[in-house]
Amino acid sequence: MTEQVFLSPAPAADTEDVLAVRDLNIHYTVREGFRKKTLKAVNGVDLSIRAGECLGLVGESGCGKSTLASAIMGLVPYTSGSVHVAGQDVPTAVKNDPLSQARNVQMVFQDPFASLNPRRSVRDALAAPLRLHGMKDKAEIEARVVDMLTKVGMKPEAADRRPHEFSGGQRQRICIARALIVEPKLLVCDEPVSALDVSIRAQIINLLLELKDELGIALLMISHDLGVVEHMSDRIAVMYLGRIVEEGVWSDIFTKPLHPYTQALIASIPDPLAAERHPRRMQGEAPSPLKPPSGCAFNPRCPSVFDACRQGDVPDFTKATGNPSHRARCHLLEHGSQKWVPVLG
């Protein structure tokens, strides 16, 4: 008997972006007393991901990563710019054909304990999306549920159990299975391992990588854990106070970071030799997005700040010498005075 394939095989190399974010702005009006202020949660962001590629999005808490993810999912409106997934404009798809949007992009959330209905069996949780998208044959639904459980490393008999019977890592596997069962082209993972035990994190990370390669999906990995992002990502985008401040392939970001903020983030990775390398350290806390500093938003904390950083507009992206795929927003680069600080040796 010929084995039936339920999930799409990895596609051939594609030159088009599965995710294309262009000049995205998400601004909110916030009232402080009698005054109204603008909170720029996401400010002029450009991102792209191709099929079979993982983009890591990193930054401190509150920098706008989850807001950006919500916009990609079509869960929040945005002020200006555009978001396209698989060639479809997200707000238009959400309005006119929400099921098509759901087929294009799915999300794995941070907390697997809150992501599953405790009253529904695993079979119900995985079958519901299939029924929603029009699948009616019970045998086909059952076969696909079992197939997806197997792909995420769960036994078929797990389908009859309820979420409270599983560990955190097992629940996250079930959440991944539920997200992938409708064959999305883009999977957004928002801190998918931060709520799990350290011993389980590597298993979930490796599972996501295996599924990405097997299914040929695009993966957006959002995390503040640089170790996770380094292990998973083909490219990395560093976000600070609503903006992307550096972008490049993972090896460039981790070995030759251009922006002082990226250098400080990498220096914060626990390393017994860090003290001998004298890495640059950040000072203070991130400013409020309601009261951003003039010029470069990182200037109050930057160890290399000079007059141009505090004045005028936000710096444009400057490409690394001889490496156009590696770029950063830094006045030091514009003035040709930025020096790489070897924080990792």
Side-chain angles (χ1 to χ4, degrees):
M1 183 174 65
T2 304
E3 182 181 358
Q4 188 172 4
V5 178
F6 296 108
L7 290 176
S8 302
D14 190 355
T15 58
E16 294 185 0
D17 295 326
V18 174
L19 172 67
V21 179
R22 299 290 179 262
D23 195 22
L24 185 66
N25 294 275
I26 304 175
H27 300 171
Y28 300 103
T29 299
V30 179
R31 185 180 294 275
E32 281 192 348
F34 295 102
R35 296 182 178 181
K36 291 183 178 180
K37 294 187 175 182
T38 300
L39 189 156
K40 298 181 179 180
V42 175
N43 200 4
V45 166
D46 293 290
L47 283 180
S48 62
I49 313 177
R50 294 184 178 182
E53 181 183 40
C54 177
L55 174 69
L57 182 62
V58 302
E60 294 172 289
S61 297
C63 71
K65 304 187 300 296
S66 294
T67 303
L68 175 58
S70 296
I72 293 170
M73 295 296 299
L75 300 176
V76 298
Y78 44 84
T79 308
S80 62
S82 65
V83 179
H84 287 80
V85 177
Q88 292 189 355
D89 179 65
V90 168
T92 303
V94 170
K95 180 179 179 181
N96 298 331
D97 190 2
L99 288 181
S100 174
Q101 167 68 5
R103 282 293 302 272
N104 285 332
V105 56
Q106 285 287 312
M107 190 167 187
V108 177
F109 295 92
Q110 177 178 0
D111 187 0
F113 296 92
S115 298
L116 296 170
N117 188 333
R119 297 184 178 183
R120 304 185 70 179
S121 68
V122 172
R123 176 180 285 102
D124 290 339
L126 270 61
L130 298 177
R131 296 192 184 99
L132 183 64
H133 286 272
M135 185 177 291
K136 298 180 180 180
D137 186 271
K138 292 183 179 180
E140 187 177 359
I141 291 174
E142 178 65 17
R144 189 172 303 204
V145 167
V146 171
D147 182 72
M148 275 311 307
L149 285 175
T150 303
K151 284 185 180 295
V152 299
M154 302 287 289
K155 295 181 178 180
E157 51 264 33
D160 296 316
R161 298 162 64 185
R162 284 178 167 74
H164 73 272
E165 301 179 62
F166 298 97
S167 66
Q170 290 173 321
R171 292 191 195 195
Q172 197 64 297
R173 289 175 184 269
I174 295 168
C175 291
I176 294 170
R178 181 180 60 180
L180 293 178
I181 203 165
V182 295
E183 303 177 2
K185 296 179 176 63
L186 170 67
L187 184 65
V188 178
C189 297
D190 190 0
E191 303 277 7
V193 297
S194 62
L196 304 178
D197 293 339
V198 175
S199 60
I200 304 299
R201 293 181 183 180
Q203 298 177 18
I204 300 301
I205 291 169
N206 290 332
L207 172 64
L208 286 169
L209 288 176
E210 291 170 4
L211 291 171
K212 174 184 72 72
D213 293 338
E214 179 182 353
L215 306 177
I217 60 174
L219 181 61
L220 175 61
M221 182 67 183
I222 300 173
S223 180
H224 64 271
D225 188 330
L226 290 173
V228 171
V229 172
E230 180 184 16
H231 182 70
M232 292 192 66
S233 304
D234 299 299
R235 293 186 297 114
I236 293 174
V238 183
M239 197 169 187
Y240 185 77
L241 213 65
R243 288 186 184 274
I244 302 298
V245 297
E246 185 165 355
E247 184 178 0
V249 299
W250 74 269
S251 56
D252 289 334
I253 295 294
F254 277 88
T255 60
K256 296 182 180 180
L258 298 175
H259 198 283
Y261 177 61
T262 309
Q263 295 172 2
L265 284 179
I266 295 175
S268 68
I269 299 175
D271 188 337
L273 300 179
E276 299 179 10
R277 295 186 178 127
H278 305 290
R280 296 185 175 188
R281 300 290 185 181
M282 282 184 289
Q283 301 176 357
E285 299 181 355
S288 168
L290 287 172
K291 297 179 181 179
S294 59
C296 174
F298 188 60
N299 82 75
R301 310 170 71 191
C302 182
S304 302
V305 63
F306 67 112
D307 289 344
C309 306
R310 303 185 181 95
Q311 303 168 359
D313 298 327
V314 176
D316 293 327
F317 273 114
T318 301
K319 297 178 181 178
T321 303
N323 187 0
S325 66
H326 189 191
R327 58 181 191 162
R329 292 180 182 269
C330 185
H331 283 297
L332 292 166
L333 291 171
E334 289 181 342
H335 289 74
S337 58
Q338 173 64 303
K339 294 181 179 180
W340 165 54
V341 178
V343 293
L344 291 181

